């Protein structure tokens, strides 16, 4: 399973990249706002900065909601760097735009997906990635991980090549659950990725090894 980091924070992206396990980055307008990146030019520069760190797929979201606007914005974003994946919301004009981008060889991430029906449309339009939002479904007492599993099964059954990118991941446990249902990618906060490392038996075992080494080597 590939790991993307779900942030626009350059320090966190660098830290995850330095761990040697980072495959890409996802951003959205809320994450860009969180970093205070104001103005279109600064935002585009920020995407290029991210691409220069990770050398992996970087999702950059269009903010237009009409077909013509999405095409214009998506083409501009894709021209910024070969690593850019154009993130498009799962609405009617978005599906149409994904079909257009797929014909042009521009990679896409269909975002804000909350049902298998939406994921089916994204795959039929030729999306590179589909992003079911796990945490937000859990927030309304639905089962976000179950949706990821259903989409994985549907794509395997029909042979769709769209990759299932589990998004709105909130915890280390979510990451493990993504592995269990066969997600292709999980995009996670840095804290959830680091949480995978934690085990008390690793800590106590390492401490004992170091003590025993010291006892024979001084
Ligand atoms: O990848 C989508 C993500 O940024 C949304 O996460 O926690 O706002 O639901 P969250």
């Amino acid at each position: 399973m590939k790991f993307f980091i779900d942030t626009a924070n350059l320090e966190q992206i660098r830290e995850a990249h330095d761990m040697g396990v980072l495959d890409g980055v996802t951003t959205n307008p809320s994450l860009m706002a969180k970093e205070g990146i104001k103005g279109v030019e600064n935002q585009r520069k920020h995407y290029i900065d991210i691409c220069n760190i990770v050398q992996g797929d970087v999702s950059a979201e269009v903010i237009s909601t009409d077909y013509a606007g999405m095409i214009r914005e998506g083409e501009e974003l894709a021209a910024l760097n070969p690593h850019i994946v154009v993130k498009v919301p799962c609405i009617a004009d978005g599906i149409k735009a994904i079909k257009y981008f797929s014909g042009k060889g521009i990679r896409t991430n269909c975002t804000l997906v909350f049902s298998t029906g939406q994921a089916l449309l994204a795959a039929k339009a030729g999306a590179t990635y589909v992003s079911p939002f796990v945490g937000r479904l859990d927030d309304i007492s639905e089962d976000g991980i179950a949706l990821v599993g259903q989409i994985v099964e549907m794509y395997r059954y029909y042979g769709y090549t769209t990759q299932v990118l589990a998004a709105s991941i909130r915890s280390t446990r979510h990451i493990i659950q993504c592995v269990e249902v066969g997600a292709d990618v999980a995009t996670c906060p840095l804290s959830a990725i680091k949480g995978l490392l934690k085990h008390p038996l690793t800590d106590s075992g390492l401490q004992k090894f170091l003590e025993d080494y010291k006892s024979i080597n001084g």
Side-chain angles (χ1 to χ4, degrees):
M1 189 176 75
K2 287 192 275 186
F3 272 132
F4 289 179
I5 188 168
D6 194 30
T7 185
N9 182 287
L10 296 182
E11 261 178 49
Q12 290 188 16
I13 293 168
R14 268 192 211 98
E15 187 176 339
H17 175 70
D18 287 349
M19 284 173 76
V21 295
L22 189 65
D23 300 297
V25 177
T26 51
T27 64
N28 63 38
S30 304
L31 294 171
M32 294 292 271
K34 198 170 164 193
E35 299 309 313
I37 319 290
K38 291 185 185 150
V40 174
E41 285 316 308
N42 287 333
Q43 285 152 12
R44 297 204 168 163
K45 184 187 167 301
H46 199 76
Y47 289 135
I48 294 169
D49 290 344
I50 294 174
C51 290
N52 287 337
I53 298 171
V54 295
Q55 302 292 318
D57 287 353
V58 174
S59 287
E61 188 157 342
V62 298
I63 46 101
S64 301
T65 53
D66 64 297
Y67 177 71
M70 286 183 193
I71 299 303
R72 179 186 44 76
E73 253 191 273
E75 287 185 330
E76 286 170 7
L77 289 169
L80 292 176
N81 188 286
H83 292 300
I84 292 284
V85 174
V86 179
K87 205 171 182 188
V88 180
C90 193
I91 56 177
D93 279 27
I95 295 297
K96 200 170 145 189
I98 288 169
K99 179 78 183 173
Y100 170 87
F101 289 133
S102 123
K104 294 275 172 191
I106 293 175
R107 292 170 314 134
T108 52
N109 175 354
C110 185
T111 189
L112 289 166
V113 165
F114 294 93
S115 73
T116 47
Q118 290 177 317
L120 176 61
L121 288 175
K124 283 183 75 71
T128 313
Y129 296 104
V130 67
S131 287
F133 274 36
V134 172
R136 291 193 193 184
L137 279 169
D138 289 1
D139 286 345
I140 57 162
S141 302
E142 293 201 19
D143 188 341
I145 291 293
L147 175 64
V148 173
Q150 285 155 12
I151 298 171
V152 167
E153 270 185 39
M154 172 175 69
Y155 285 1
R156 281 198 192 135
Y157 185 82
Y158 289 106
Y160 290 120
T161 55
T162 301
Q163 295 177 58
V164 182
L165 192 171
S168 183
I169 294 295
R170 305 267 178 79
S171 65
T172 302
R173 179 163 169 73
H174 270 159
I175 300 179
I176 299 301
Q177 290 174 315
C178 285
V179 171
E180 287 167 356
V181 297
D184 298 291
V185 190
T187 188
C188 329
L190 181 60
S191 57
I193 299 175
K194 285 162 99 174
L196 291 168
L197 269 177
K198 287 188 193 151
H199 201 288
L201 291 179
T202 304
D203 297 340
S204 59
L206 179 60
Q207 194 183 350
K208 180 80 171 89
F209 285 157
L210 295 178
E211 280 166 11
D212 288 346
Y213 176 87
K214 220 172 163 188
S215 74
I216 50 174
N217 293 287

